[in-house]
């Protein structure tokens, strides 16, 4: 289009200090086609791995990222300052990227998981999984789907989510499935940044004003009851991925460190019960999820034959 | 220790980036942050899109001393002033006309 | 001390005449400074308010790829606002002050963002037509006389051209989709065409500030020149896309080598500019809510930074070398 004359006009008489930073054309929308982390990775299911169980596992991790990214993206244009708006969007973009890779892996490993659409529908598998499943088929933990609350709640939830997810991804770097291992290797760097961002803000709010301290304490009362679900074992996770129960100590140590620096104590709250022991990983969610999905899926579902 | 009320607006930091090895750090812009550590985080998000391997410097704008472009600068005497006309640096002498 | 301004003014005019840049520490006429602040602030506000109409669709983007693209795009707009506010800071006005002028209605932003986004096609149309119009307006500004503004514009223009392409690409993809999608695209283009034309501002005859701004090199072309350029650029793109513009007077004028086009509804334009557009109140209220809701966070971060600083300097005092550590020559013994 008009790109040629723009390039000429903008760079003709200037030494452009940004030239090396902008990277290639896809760079501005990283998280989309920017750098394929699966390039050259062997996509065959390794021997001894149950394909449908691997698919279920990818769905769990993919749904965590997708649903949580959806919540984070609601912050756009609402953050306390522009710098934070940009940072939160970056985190959401990282997670959308992780979700896409994991959902695509789930679909490839077990095509039976993918909702069927009318003959000839051009909707790709990752979008069929994201947009054409109902709440009961989602496998994310309930922490991911909670409504946003204020900035303190954002930070408390992000600290817990990123600490937990980073611990998982660090172990998955050596996973038998080369695709999962590659996704994890890329994700580890991203999640380490998310945790750093959340940790700094957590300490900042704790040491800030009386109001920020109070808000953070309130936020922890909302977020902390959802922690036990993160470290509850399920058969699928234990067999094909990381047994969440083995993460409890590590997560506890990290959170204790942050809390110690922040000078704040964890609330004494019991974990949130499930329904007959079933929680997010079993498709038993809070009321918030179906509402979140109704919004997320509304356009895609209206156009099952649509191209976007 | 002074107990002045902190300014609710975060201070301005200037951001300098070396986009690859072998090059100088170049001034790319500025941003607001409560402290230097947070300024570095923000700089990565805002100016590099978190490009790995990029080196970033941040410096409080108020800490940068700049030469005056004109030999005799009536607004900012004595020389040795700030890079920018940031509001905090904008003490206009009362005898300067038309301000 | 009475300052003789004449040599300063001469130096300023000579810089402008040489097509050179004015930099923050240069002397500049107060009217130039004020005009720049107004223009750059309005541009910055437009980027920030402009996050809303498209942000409206992030949570409903119909594919994960589109969600990522849109999120990145709206994020870019926050970045553009940030760069531009940085440019105004070099003129002596803080972002905080300008934000307060925006949410109190004292400063304006581009009227286009006071129109609603009603379908997902609007995301594409905004990219194509609105960002396209913005590019026509902005590319010449990379050579604007004020250095920091021009430098901000270089990066902004680069990213805007990506934005325009993603918008056009979305519409092209939708045109290859279903009949409903094609109708959605046409309806969206019909709605945005006239507001996009209005983005160049009132006709030259009604634009009082243009002459001075052009003399100063803050502005490089008149409103009508840019509008014509936009129409000429958009027509072949519309044909390639397979959509029409809702203007029966649009036709090629062989003599002028340009397209003739109809008159936008300037009454509507002024109505929207004066605050009565479909979304003016909503947009400003949204920005104000974010600013107000974030106040405690910004205060907390400032307080925490002050506390850290105080504790660090306390620690420095405690660790400072004692006189007893000094040798007879006054040097501090180092371990």
């Amino acid at each position: 289009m008009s790109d040629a004359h723009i390039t000429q006009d903008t760079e003709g008489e200037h030494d452009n200090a940004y030239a090396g930073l902008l990277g290639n054309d896809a760079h501005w929308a990283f998280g989309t086609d920017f750098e394929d982390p699966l390039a050259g990775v062997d996509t065959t299911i390794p021997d001894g791995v149950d394909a449908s169980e691997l698919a279920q596992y990818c769905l769990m991790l993919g749904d965590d990222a997708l649903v949580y990214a959806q919540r984070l993206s609601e912050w756009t244009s609402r953050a306390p300052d522009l710098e934070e708006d940009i940072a939160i969007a970056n985190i959401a973009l990282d997670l959308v990227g992780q979700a896409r890779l994991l959902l695509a892996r789930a679909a490839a490993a077990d095509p039976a998981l993918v909702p069927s659409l009318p003959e000839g529908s051009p909707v790709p598998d990752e979008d069929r999984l994201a947009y054409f499943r109902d709440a009961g088929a989602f496998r994310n933990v309930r922490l991911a789907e909670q409504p946003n609350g204020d900035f303190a709640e954002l930070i408390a939830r992000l600290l817990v989510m990123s600490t937990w997810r980073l611990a998982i991804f660090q172990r998955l770097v050596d996973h038998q499935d080369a695709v999962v291992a590659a996704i994890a290797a890329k994700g580890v760097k991203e999640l380490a940044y998310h945790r750093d961002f959340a940790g700094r803000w957590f300490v900042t709010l704790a040491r800030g004003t009386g109001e920020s301290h109070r808000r953070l304490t309130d936020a922890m009362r909302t977020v902390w009851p959802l922690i036990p679900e993160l470290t509850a074992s399920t058969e699928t996770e234990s067999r094909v991925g990381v047994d969440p129960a083995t993460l409890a100590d590590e997560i506890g140590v990290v959170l204790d460190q942050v809390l110690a620096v922040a000078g704040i104590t964890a609330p004494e709250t019991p974990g949130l019960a499930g329904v007959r022991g079933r929680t997010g990983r079993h498709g038993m969610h809070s009321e918030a999820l179906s509402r979140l999905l109704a919004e997320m899926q509304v356009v895609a579902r209206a156009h099952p034959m649509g191209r976007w | 220790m002074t107990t002045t009320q902190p300014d609710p607006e975060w201070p301005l930091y200037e951001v300098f980036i070396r986009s690859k090895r072998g090059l100088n750090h170049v001034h790319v812009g500025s941003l607001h942050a409560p402290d230097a550590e947070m300024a570095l985080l923000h700089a990565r998000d805002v100016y590099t899109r978190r490009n790995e391997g990029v080196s970033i410097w941040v410096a409080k704008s108020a800490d940068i001393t700049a030469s005056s472009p004109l030999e005799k600068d009536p607004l900012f005497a004595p020389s040795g002033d700030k890079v920018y006309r940031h509001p905090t640096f904008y003490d206009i002498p009362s005898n300067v006309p038309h301000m | 001390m009475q300052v003789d301004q004449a040599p300063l003014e001469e130096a300023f005019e000579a810089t402008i005449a040489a097509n050179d840049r004015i930099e923050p520490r240069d002397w500049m006429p107060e009217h130039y400074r004020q005009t720049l602040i107004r223009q750059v602030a309005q541009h910055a506000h437009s980027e920030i308010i402009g996050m809303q109409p498209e942000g409206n669709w992030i949570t409903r983007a119909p594919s994960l790829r589109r969600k990522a693209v849109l999120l990145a795009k709206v994020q870019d707009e926050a970045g553009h606002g940030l760069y531009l506010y940085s440019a105004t800071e070099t003129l002596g006005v803080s972002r905080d002050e300008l934000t307060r002028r925006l949410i109190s209605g004292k400063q304006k932003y581009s009227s286009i963002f006071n129109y609603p986004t009603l379908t997902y096609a609007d995301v594409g149309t905004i990219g194509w037509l609105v960002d396209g119009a913005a590019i026509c307006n902005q590319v010449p500004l990379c050579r604007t006389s004020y250095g920091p503004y021009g430098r901000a514009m270089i990066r902004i223009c680069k990213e805007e051209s990506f934005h325009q392409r993603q918008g056009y690409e979305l519409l092209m993809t939708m045109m290859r989709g279903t009949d409903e999608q094609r109708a959605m695209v046409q309806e969206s283009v019909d709605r945005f065409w006239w507001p996009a034309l209005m983005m160049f501002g009132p006709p030259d005859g009604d634009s009082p500030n243009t002459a001075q701004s052009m003399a100063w090199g803050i502005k490089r072309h008149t409103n009508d020149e840019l509008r014509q350029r936009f129409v000429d650029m958009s027509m072949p793109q519309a044909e390639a896309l397979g959509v029409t513009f809702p203007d029966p007077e649009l036709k090629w004028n062989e003599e002028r080598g340009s397209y003739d086009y109809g008159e936008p509804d300037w009454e509507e334009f002024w109505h929207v500019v004066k605050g009565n557009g479909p979304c003016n109140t909503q947009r400003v209220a949204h920005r104000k809510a974010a600013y107000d809701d974030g106040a405690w966070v910004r205060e907390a971060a400032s307080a925490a930074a002050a506390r850290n600083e105080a504790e660090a300097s306390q620690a420095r005092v405690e660790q400072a070398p004692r006189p007893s550590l000094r040798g007879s020559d006054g040097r501090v013994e180092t371990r």
Side-chain angles (χ1 to χ4, degrees), chain A residues 33 48 229:
Chain A
D33 299 319
E229 182 181 339

Side-chain angles (χ1 to χ4, degrees), chain A residues 23-307:
Chain A
N24 60 31
D25 279 9
H27 198 169
W28 70 278
F30 65 88
T32 53
D33 299 319
F34 174 55
E35 157 189 321
D36 178 9
L38 300 186
V41 173
D42 182 5
T43 56
T44 50
I45 310 278
D47 289 341
V49 172
D50 181 313
S52 95
E53 206 150 44
L54 177 67
Q56 281 293 337
Y57 188 57
C58 290
L59 209 54
M60 292 173 176
L61 297 179
D63 285 348
D64 288 337
L66 173 60
V67 169
Y68 190 44
Q70 177 76 2
R71 284 296 183 212
L72 290 173
S73 72
E74 291 173 12
W75 270 97
T76 305
S77 77
R78 294 182 166 84
D81 219 331
L82 300 182
E83 286 84 353
E84 264 51 59
D85 218 297
I86 292 169
I88 297 165
N90 269 342
I91 295 170
L93 274 166
D94 287 342
L95 292 171
V96 172
Q98 292 177 13
R100 293 183 64 187
L101 295 168
L102 286 160
L103 294 186
R105 185 55 179 158
D110 185 4
L113 272 182
V114 181
S116 61
L117 291 178
E119 180 79 21
S121 166
V123 176
D125 285 347
E126 63 178 44
D127 291 331
R128 290 180 187 223
L129 283 170
Y131 293 98
F132 292 89
R133 278 181 300 153
D134 293 332
F138 273 74
R139 290 290 175 266
N140 59 283
V141 293
R142 288 177 295 174
L143 182 63
E145 72 207 25
Q146 297 308 305
N148 276 330
D150 65 7
F151 188 78
E153 205 174 316
L154 163 76
I155 292 302
R157 189 174 297 115
L158 181 60
L159 177 66
V160 171
M161 272 299 271
S162 55
T163 299
W164 171 65
R165 195 168 173 85
L166 177 59
I168 296 172
F169 273 47
Q170 279 168 338
R171 284 162 176 75
L172 289 179
V173 167
D174 302 320
H175 196 266
Q176 300 147 273
D177 181 35
V179 177
V180 167
I183 296 170
K186 178 173 187 281
V188 160
K189 284 185 241 161
E190 297 166 346
L191 293 162
Y193 175 84
H194 304 174
R195 193 180 70 172
D196 188 30
F197 176 85
R200 277 174 204 280
W201 266 110
F202 191 93
V203 172
T204 298
L205 295 181
R207 291 170 56 85
T209 59
E211 181 177 13
S212 68
H213 193 277
R214 176 185 64 71
R215 283 176 181 263
L216 190 62
T217 311
D218 288 351
M220 289 167 74
R221 274 201 286 273
T222 306
V223 171
W224 254 243
L226 287 152
I227 294 178
E229 182 181 339
L230 305 182
T231 53
S233 294
T234 65
E235 284 184 17
T236 299
E237 288 170 288
S238 312
R239 267 205 298 269
V240 78
V242 176
D243 179 358
T246 63
L247 303 171
D249 286 348
E250 181 183 333
I251 295 166
V253 168
V254 173
L255 292 180
D256 283 350
Q257 273 176 0
V258 177
L259 264 59
V261 176
I264 208 165
T265 47
E268 298 281 337
T269 50
L272 213 63
V275 178
R276 287 186 69 85
R278 301 174 65 211
T279 57
R281 286 286 188 247
H282 313 97
M284 190 62 72
H285 294 280
S286 45
E287 290 177 354
L289 183 63
S290 66
R291 204 174 284 276
L292 175 148
L293 294 178
E295 180 175 344
M296 186 176 92
Q297 298 175 337
V298 63
V299 180
R301 287 211 182 193
H303 302 273
M305 298 296 285
R307 281 179 202 277

Side-chain angles (χ1 to χ4, degrees), chain C residues 92-218:
Chain C
V93 194
S94 72
R95 187 204 295 176
D96 194 62
E97 165 64 24
L98 292 177
T99 302
R100 277 184 272 119
R101 287 185 200 171
L102 170 66
I103 60 183
S104 63
K106 287 199 192 97
Q107 281 185 332
K108 304 279 183 213
Y109 51 88
S110 178
S111 282
I112 191 79
F113 302 120
N114 289 319
Y115 288 88
T117 52
L118 302 176
T119 71
Y120 202 78
D122 290 0
V123 170
T125 309
I126 287 179
W128 174 38
L129 293 179
V130 175
D131 294 338
I135 288 170
C136 283
N137 268 330
Q138 291 170 2
V139 165
L141 293 176
C142 296
R143 292 179 286 118
T144 187
S145 64
Y146 188 59
Y149 187 25
R151 288 191 286 278
M153 289 312 303
I154 290 172
R155 181 159 186 167
I156 290 171
C157 284
K158 176 96 182 164
E159 292 181 346
E160 289 289 352
S161 74
F162 294 141
H163 293 181
Q164 194 196 16
R165 281 193 302 193
Q166 71 80 30
Y168 193 75
E169 191 254 338
L170 168 60
L171 297 183
M172 276 198 316
T173 309
M174 289 179 70
M175 292 300 283
R176 287 199 303 269
T178 63
D179 288 343
E180 288 96 327
Q181 288 185 294
R182 279 184 283 277
M184 202 192 281
V185 172
Q186 182 63 58
E187 188 275 334
S188 174
V189 170
D190 287 344
R191 238 175 327 109
F192 273 98
W193 174 248
W194 291 113
L197 285 190
M198 295 178 196
M199 285 176 68
F200 298 94
D204 291 348
D206 301 330
S207 181
N209 298 322
T210 296
Q212 178 65 77
S213 290
M214 286 183 66
W216 277 338
I218 298 175

